[in-house]
Amino acid sequence: MNAGRQNLVGLDRQELERLVQSLGKAPYRSRQLYHALYCRREREVSALTVLDRNFREALAARFEISYPSLQGEFISKDDSARYLLCLQDNTSIETVFMPEEDRITLCLSSQVGCAVDCRFCFTALLGLQRNLSAGEVLGQVLAVAKARAIPPGSRLNLVFMGMGEPLLNLAQVMKAVRILADPEGFGIPLRRITISTSGIVPRMGELAHDPRRPKLAVSLNASSEEQRSELMPINRKYPLREVLRACRDYPLRPRERLTFEYVLLDGFNDSDADARRVAELLQGMRAKINLIPYNPGAELPYRASPLERVLAFQQILAERRIPAYIRISRGQDIGAACGQLRLAGMLKGEG
Ligand code: SAH
Ligand code: SF4
């Protein structure tokens, strides 16, 4: 990484066009550059042999291709892996790699830390340090693809369920999503990209009107206003009823469903009555719900629901025609499971 050079990663089609123009080159060169950066994932300006040598040299003098650097790799017994990535200002984020039979899912961060302050979440303990740039969002995909030797063209699913609240950094997240979904870019279809939100109502409305929106998942986590406000203080600003209204107003494509996430907390939000209330809240929506086993930690006040509770909860929802899936938590042994991203070393003073 060279502080004097600008990173090409993160620049979109228009920005590359302007750059190419400023170097006095023909516009089609910007399309070649875009394709080489994101579709072929070239790692060095000198490797961009589709461009003539003179152009490569002019580019290399002012620009570079740089990814976040790998600070740590923690591989789980179940083959998932957690990557600690170091950004240019020495802050760190985490990205999780989850291989499945026919695809790979990457869990991406959208911010360094998070300001939303949910009581059950490790990321909340960090507070918000800053937003990620579009280049840093893309950098996570590029850095993990490089670490795992994932060839271009492999089937990837992306979920913004790592650190941060993506809707509080929507412009940069969507800039990255457009490059990720572009067939000339990463070529990952929008239906394989999911943004998860704690329910930032105005931004949900904004996303609803974007023709290039990815899928939406909403962290419900409670069955009443009061309960949700206790878990997620953001509920006082954007109450559950408004979140649900924004969900009902959210335009879905054919066969698309909204996803709700529900972290089950022992004795807090996991009773039969909670399940019945959740079914009522979601009645009539084209939605499914992922029941997430809670990942406990000494710094957090809750306990995980026992498995029989999780199953009973699922059953009550199923009886009311709400498809409910128990999300097998992967990478628990390496602190990679949902909501567990917390830069463990840093918080424990090891890093
Ligand atoms: N900020 C966004 C996306 C990141 S959090 C959001 O809140 O949706 C991704 C998911 O992890 C959320 O559904 C959240 O409810 C869940 N989560 C947070 N802490 C958790 C924990 N300790 N155990 C299990 N899931 C957790
Ligand atoms: Fe932020 Fe999501 Fe964690 Fe809440 S659950 S603190 S919104 S990362």
Side-chain angles (χ1 to χ4, degrees):
M1 237 180 271
N2 182 324
R5 294 205 188 106
Q6 195 195 335
N7 193 2
L8 290 171
V9 176
L11 299 185
D12 62 17
R13 283 172 182 266
Q14 291 74 26
E15 287 165 331
L16 288 177
E17 259 166 45
R18 284 197 290 276
L19 183 159
V20 161
Q21 202 178 17
S22 75
L23 294 172
K25 299 288 171 184
Y28 76 93
R29 292 293 188 192
S30 71
R31 293 191 288 277
Q32 290 179 326
L33 189 51
Y34 185 86
H35 192 261
L37 281 176
Y38 302 127
C39 191
R40 295 215 313 276
R41 304 190 210 135
E42 299 290 1
R43 293 178 206 157
E44 300 286 341
V45 173
S46 60
L48 304 176
T49 47
V50 67
L51 310 174
D52 59 80
R53 200 163 128 216
N54 165 290
F55 184 18
R56 282 201 308 270
E57 281 169 8
L59 259 186
R62 287 173 43 203
F63 298 93
E64 64 179 354
I65 300 174
S66 92
Y67 302 173
S69 59
L70 215 62
Q71 221 177 353
E73 180 186 47
F74 309 88
I75 299 183
S76 160
K77 293 196 286 275
D78 68 15
D79 286 340
S80 61
R82 175 167 67 100
Y83 289 92
L84 189 57
L85 302 177
C86 180
L87 306 175
Q88 227 152 357
D89 64 351
N90 275 330
T91 53
S92 305
I93 49 167
E94 302 194 345
T95 308
V96 180
F97 164 87
M98 291 172 285
E100 284 152 275
E101 247 166 56
D102 56 342
R103 75 188 106 154
I104 290 165
T105 298
L106 301 183
C107 178
L108 305 178
S109 295
S110 55
Q111 299 180 308
V112 185
C114 184
V116 178
D117 210 20
C118 302
R119 296 284 177 259
F120 50 84
C121 174
F122 290 99
T123 305
L125 301 172
L126 297 172
L128 176 66
Q129 298 182 22
R130 69 174 177 85
N131 280 332
L132 295 186
S133 67
E136 289 167 332
V137 172
L138 299 175
Q140 295 174 71
V141 180
L142 292 166
V144 174
K146 179 177 159 201
R148 306 299 306 207
I150 304 171
S154 317
R155 182 167 166 182
L156 282 183
N157 275 19
L158 304 177
V159 293
F160 284 88
M161 294 182 189
M163 294 170 70
E165 170 47 60
L167 293 201
L168 290 178
N169 184 20
L170 189 58
Q172 291 302 306
V173 166
M174 283 305 290
K175 184 180 178 194
V177 163
R178 284 190 284 272
I179 297 172
L180 290 164
D182 187 342
E184 287 298 307
F186 287 76
I188 303 169
L190 285 167
R191 63 173 190 285
R192 297 213 195 114
I193 306 176
T194 301
I195 289 185
S196 173
T197 182
S198 56
I200 312 296
V201 171
R203 299 285 93 76
M204 289 168 73
E206 221 172 282
L207 198 60
H209 294 106
D210 193 321
R212 284 178 292 180
R213 65 183 181 281
K215 286 172 60 174
L216 185 66
V218 177
S219 296
L220 182 65
N221 294 337
S223 67
S224 71
E225 295 285 1
E226 200 189 354
Q227 200 184 50
R228 195 165 190 268
S229 292
E230 195 175 329
L231 279 183
M232 304 171 73
I234 190 91
N235 196 64
R236 298 200 185 97
K237 191 162 178 194
Y238 302 121
L240 181 56
R241 61 177 180 283
E242 287 179 24
V243 173
L244 291 173
R245 192 185 310 135
C247 290
R248 289 187 191 274
D249 290 346
Y250 200 78
L252 296 171
R253 301 183 182 94
R255 289 196 301 278
E256 186 180 344
R257 281 186 299 184
L258 274 174
T259 301
F260 288 91
E261 294 152 287
Y262 197 100
V263 182
L264 285 156
L265 306 169
D266 185 27
F268 185 85
N269 65 358
D270 65 347
S271 69
D272 288 356
D274 284 309
R276 286 193 294 266
R277 275 195 295 270
V278 166
E280 261 169 54
L281 293 174
L282 304 189
Q283 217 41 259
M285 274 196 218
R286 237 203 292 155
K288 64 168 175 166
I289 183 160
N290 284 337
L291 302 175
I292 308 178
Y294 172 61
N295 295 303
E299 311 94 327
L300 300 173
Y302 302 98
R303 281 188 319 266
S305 302
L307 183 63
E308 61 269 22
R309 263 290 84 221
V310 179
L311 294 172
F313 204 94
Q314 181 188 34
Q315 178 69 26
I316 292 172
L317 291 169
E319 281 162 7
R320 287 159 179 75
R321 294 177 199 282
I322 312 279
Y325 303 92
I326 300 172
R327 270 267 304 256
I328 308 159
S329 227
R330 307 208 36 195
Q332 263 181 319
D333 54 331
I334 53 162
C338 223
Q340 225 173 314
L341 305 185
R342 56 166 164 172
L343 305 173
M346 211 171 98
L347 281 177
K348 288 182 189 154
E350 294 160 2

